Amino acid sequence: MRQAALGAATSLLLDEGIAAVTFERVARLAGVSKTTLYKWWPSAAAIAVDGYFAVSAPQLELSDSGDIATDLRAQLGQFVDLMTRSVAGPAVRGLIAAAQSDDDVRLAFVVHYVHPRREIGGAALRRAQSRGQLSTKIDVQVLIDQLWGACYYRLMTEPDLVTATYLDALVDQALNGVAAAR
Amino acid sequence: MRQAALGAATSLLLDEGIAAVTFERVARLAGVSKTTLYKWWPSAAAIAVDGYFAVSAPQLELSDSGDIATDLRAQLGQFVDLMTRSVAGPAVRGLIAAAQSDDDVRLAFVVHYVHPRREIGGAALRRAQSRGQLSTKIDVQVLIDQLWGACYYRLMTEPDLVTATYLDALVDQALNGVAAAR
């Protein structure tokens, strides 16, 4: 029943967007009572986040060429493709949007979407630290925001501006800094 | 009448959030017909963006100490305070959220909120370039995303983590880079 509910919520999210994910429709589509859904999830959007995580988790593997600049460009490029050319884009943007007015959705999104991705990104950056490519003094979670956070902001405001040229500049500036040479 | 509508939409936005800004309520509160509102704005949220811009524009002046690191820390600190301790936070997050499912809102938000702020931020960064503090080779709009975009993403997911320590690390890493010294 839990799997059926997750599957139904994810289908609705990807096909019609976050507004279509209601207790009513998930219950009907999954053949599960609304009472049961209420017991398991605080809100319909929380089912959607859980379901989205299940389908998107396999995409989280990051490439590892041995060179951090190459890997970051490739990983950000894949992420931007996913956000702009697949149903994942509107789904994820819809979840972030829903999280702004519903703290249960925000917490579900943070636990099931943000943290798993931060952990995988953090591991890749720590690997680059151990290889001597990144400074060991930096906060890798802050670096994730400098890269992925920058992309999220642009994708949510001016998605057409997130081009390959943009990503090249982003990775180059993040790695090498922007201060004038002394 | 236009000012009355803007004032009404802004009050609703700041007091009750984006969901309260409807043509119905703006019309009633401002004493303007819904037909007139429809003529001027494509959506109720677009009135809210216009109105919010009018009240928030005076806050856009940036400090100029002569040192870019000091200024960036101060400016990001003020921005985070505004987003976490004032009614502007839920209002702006609500507008970004509404923009994800309504392209008219997104365009209004980009034109009236994002671009004016990017222009002012860009001017400050170009001033730092002309003073020899920032490299002249960088894309200042990308740097804005590395700093403000990073903050927006954290504020929309885990706002409690945007501390002074976080901002110090963000500014330091953006200015000096994260690559290991060669």
Side-chain angles (χ1 to χ4, degrees):
Chain A
M1 285 211 298
R2 200 179 157 83
Q3 286 309 314
L6 288 173
T10 310
S11 296
L12 288 168
L13 175 71
L14 296 177
D15 293 346
E16 301 179 42
I18 184 78
V21 187
T22 60
F23 277 118
E24 188 74 39
R25 291 193 65 189
V26 172
R28 204 178 334 139
L29 201 58
V32 176
S33 79
K34 278 169 69 176
T35 317
T36 304
L37 296 181
Y38 279 117
K39 266 186 220 155
W40 287 339
W41 289 283
S43 70
I47 317 178
V49 182
D50 271 9
Y52 181 77
F53 175 72
V55 300
S56 64
Q59 300 160 2
L60 287 178
E61 280 301 309
L62 295 187
S63 52
D64 183 6
S65 72
D67 177 62
I68 189 66
T70 305
D71 285 345
L72 288 176
R73 276 191 293 267
Q75 289 154 15
L76 288 166
Q78 284 163 19
F79 164 69
V80 170
D81 273 353
L82 194 73
M83 289 290 286
T84 52
R85 298 185 191 185
S86 82
V87 287
V92 171
R93 291 189 289 108
L95 290 170
I96 297 178
Q100 303 316 307
S101 57
D102 184 332
D103 217 47
D104 287 326
V105 176
R106 186 181 66 76
L107 288 171
F109 184 75
V110 165
V111 171
H112 290 304
Y113 179 94
V114 175
H115 284 180
R117 283 161 181 76
R118 280 195 176 279
E119 275 160 34
I120 290 168
L125 296 176
R126 283 192 300 276
R127 206 156 52 225
Q129 285 180 315
S130 71
R131 286 175 180 156
Q133 298 178 336
L134 290 182
S135 164
T136 52
K137 290 175 193 159
I138 63 163
D139 183 325
V140 295
Q141 292 300 322
V142 170
L143 178 55
I144 286 174
D145 290 350
Q146 290 177 260
L147 296 166
W148 276 267
C151 288
Y152 274 108
Y153 180 60
R154 280 263 184 158
L155 288 169
M156 295 184 83
T157 52
E158 299 178 276
D160 295 346
L161 300 184
V162 188
T163 59
T165 309
Y166 173 85
L167 294 181
D168 287 350
L170 183 63
V171 170
D172 180 56
Q173 293 185 187
L175 289 178
N176 301 311
V178 297
R182 267 163 253 175
Chain B
M1 284 209 299
R2 202 181 155 82
Q3 287 308 314
L6 288 174
T10 310
S11 296
L12 288 168
L13 175 71
L14 296 178
D15 294 345
E16 301 178 42
I18 184 76
V21 187
T22 61
F23 277 119
E24 187 75 39
R25 291 193 64 188
V26 172
R28 206 181 328 140
L29 199 60
V32 176
S33 79
K34 278 169 70 175
T35 317
T36 305
L37 296 181
Y38 279 116
K39 267 186 220 156
W40 287 338
W41 290 281
S43 69
I47 317 178
V49 182
D50 271 10
Y52 182 77
F53 175 73
V55 299
S56 63
Q59 301 159 1
L60 287 178
E61 280 302 309
L62 296 186
S63 51
D64 183 6
S65 72
D67 176 62
I68 189 65
T70 305
D71 285 346
L72 288 176
R73 276 190 293 267
Q75 289 155 14
L76 288 166
Q78 284 162 21
F79 164 69
V80 170
D81 274 353
L82 194 73
M83 289 290 286
T84 52
R85 297 185 192 186
S86 81
V87 288
V92 171
R93 291 188 290 110
L95 290 169
I96 297 178
Q100 303 315 307
S101 57
D102 184 333
D103 216 47
D104 287 327
V105 175
R106 186 181 66 76
L107 288 171
F109 185 74
V110 166
V111 170
H112 291 305
Y113 179 93
V114 175
H115 284 180
R117 283 162 179 76
R118 281 195 175 278
E119 276 161 33
I120 290 168
L125 296 177
R126 285 192 298 275
R127 206 157 51 227
Q129 285 180 312
S130 71
R131 285 174 181 158
Q133 298 178 335
L134 290 183
S135 163
T136 54
K137 291 177 192 156
I138 63 161
D139 182 326
V140 295
Q141 292 300 322
V142 170
L143 178 56
I144 287 175
D145 290 351
Q146 290 177 257
L147 296 166
W148 276 267
C151 288
Y152 274 109
Y153 180 59
R154 280 265 182 156
L155 288 169
M156 295 184 82
T157 52
E158 299 177 273
D160 294 347
L161 300 184
V162 188
T163 59
T165 309
Y166 173 84
L167 294 181
D168 287 350
L170 184 63
V171 170
D172 179 56
Q173 293 186 186
L175 289 179
N176 301 312
V178 297
R182 268 164 253 173

